[in-house]
Amino acid sequence: MPSTELANFLRVALEIQATPFAGVHVDDGVILATDGVMLVTKKFDDKVFLRGRGSISPKAARVLAALAEETWIGSVAVVGNRVTVTARSTRYEEKIGEVAGEYCEVNLPDFHCPRAPVARMLGVLTDESRGWQQIVENPNLKALKEMSARDYVALIDNPRNGGELFRPKEIDDPHWYSVAQLRRGLRLFGARARLSVRRNDKGWLAFEDGYGHTFAVTPFVKHN
């Protein structure tokens, strides 16, 4: 049985991570990736599953994602750039066939990856001085699916729960967003996820599903 949730997070994280914050970063139960514009994070309630502090290089993250796609991951421990995983093996029984086996410890190769300030980055998403406000629950994101990835969108005025969230960008909009970036980050969530959306006074958006996943994105800004 694959570790679907971890594998999906890592796939999305690897698409988003970029210098100067390359890699996937861990801080006691929280895993995060960012390029400085977009950010995806997952908070695990079970800190035994994901523990330690450090950074998983893109190379090691791809190995971990491949492992998670094939078998159940029991735990991930990160210390600096060292990643130790417990993964379930299988064995063959003559009358049954392949069955689940024991958990095996897997040490991934150490690849250098600078650490990122995870706590500070997460703090930005809850900093009351930045004017965060919830703006809508369970938004309709149909417009993003119908538009070209090269297009840009802005928030609809006074969005309603269950209603459309975005419209095509207009020339006088103070903030706008890339359809391509939004699509990439929203892959973090399942097709049936019920999302909550917050916005701060600088136009940053944060999408959350109530299960520890967050996707945040900063806008393009009009300068007079």
Side-chain angles (χ1 to χ4, degrees), residues 57-98:
S57 77
K59 293 177 183 178
R62 282 190 284 270
V63 174
L64 179 56
L67 193 59
E69 287 172 356
E70 297 298 331
T71 190
W72 185 254
I73 302 300
S75 65
V76 179
V78 181
V79 179
N81 293 147
R82 179 167 297 175
V83 183
T84 303
V85 181
T86 56
R88 186 180 286 278
S89 64
T90 63
R91 67 178 189 275
Y92 181 80
E93 293 192 0
E94 186 173 346
K95 295 182 179 180
I96 302 175
E98 188 178 27

Side-chain angles (χ1 to χ4, degrees), residues 31 44 56 125 148 184 191 198 204:
I31 190 168
F44 289 88
I56 308 173
L125 299 180
S148 167
R184 287 166 65 193
R198 295 183 295 125
W204 299 14

Side-chain angles (χ1 to χ4, degrees), residues 13-144:
L14 284 165
E15 289 184 4
I16 286 177
Q17 59 82 35
T19 53
F21 305 112
V24 180
H25 309 284
V26 173
D27 191 338
D28 278 340
V30 176
I31 190 168
L32 175 152
T34 183
D35 63 355
V37 174
M38 297 179 288
L39 178 149
V40 290
T41 185
K42 160 71 176 170
K43 181 177 181 181
F44 289 88
D45 291 332
D46 182 1
K47 291 188 178 181
V48 174
F49 175 77
L50 179 69
R51 60 187 185 273
R53 289 188 175 94
S55 296
I56 308 173
S57 77
K59 293 177 183 178
R62 282 190 284 270
V63 174
L64 179 56
L67 193 59
E69 287 172 356
E70 297 298 331
T71 190
W72 185 254
I73 302 300
S75 65
V76 179
V78 181
V79 179
N81 293 147
R82 179 167 297 175
V83 183
T84 303
V85 181
T86 56
R88 186 180 286 278
S89 64
T90 63
R91 67 178 189 275
Y92 181 80
E93 293 192 0
E94 186 173 346
K95 295 182 179 180
I96 302 175
E98 188 178 27
V99 297
E102 302 294 328
Y103 280 101
C104 301
E105 187 172 278
V106 180
N107 293 306
L108 302 187
D110 288 16
F111 294 107
H112 174 68
C113 184
R115 291 181 62 173
V118 173
R120 179 172 63 80
M121 290 178 174
L122 293 177
V124 171
L125 299 180
T126 56
D127 186 350
E128 294 182 359
S129 70
R130 295 177 182 267
W132 284 102
Q133 292 184 341
Q134 183 171 312
I135 58 172
V136 71
E137 293 276 353
N138 196 30
N140 186 333
L141 302 172
K142 183 179 179 181
L144 293 180

Side-chain angles (χ1 to χ4, degrees), residues 103-204:
Y103 280 101
C104 301
E105 187 172 278
V106 180
N107 293 306
L108 302 187
D110 288 16
F111 294 107
H112 174 68
C113 184
R115 291 181 62 173
V118 173
R120 179 172 63 80
M121 290 178 174
L122 293 177
V124 171
L125 299 180
T126 56
D127 186 350
E128 294 182 359
S129 70
R130 295 177 182 267
W132 284 102
Q133 292 184 341
Q134 183 171 312
I135 58 172
V136 71
E137 293 276 353
N138 196 30
N140 186 333
L141 302 172
K142 183 179 179 181
L144 293 180
K145 300 175 183 178
E146 296 178 345
M147 299 178 75
S148 167
R150 296 187 297 272
D151 289 336
Y152 296 90
V153 293
L155 287 177
I156 283 178
D157 293 335
N158 302 314
R160 295 178 298 174
N161 291 343
E164 189 59 64
L165 182 60
F166 295 107
R167 58 166 173 77
K169 172 190 176 298
E170 297 177 357
I171 194 169
D172 292 327
D173 287 324
H175 301 124
W176 63 93
Y177 308 87
S178 161
V179 170
Q181 289 178 346
L182 288 166
R183 284 180 179 174
R184 287 166 65 193
L186 288 168
R187 291 191 188 114
L188 182 66
F189 307 105
R192 297 183 179 181
R194 295 180 61 87
L195 301 180
S196 174
V197 185
R198 295 183 295 125
R199 181 182 183 275
N200 74 8
D201 52 16
K202 291 186 177 181
W204 299 14

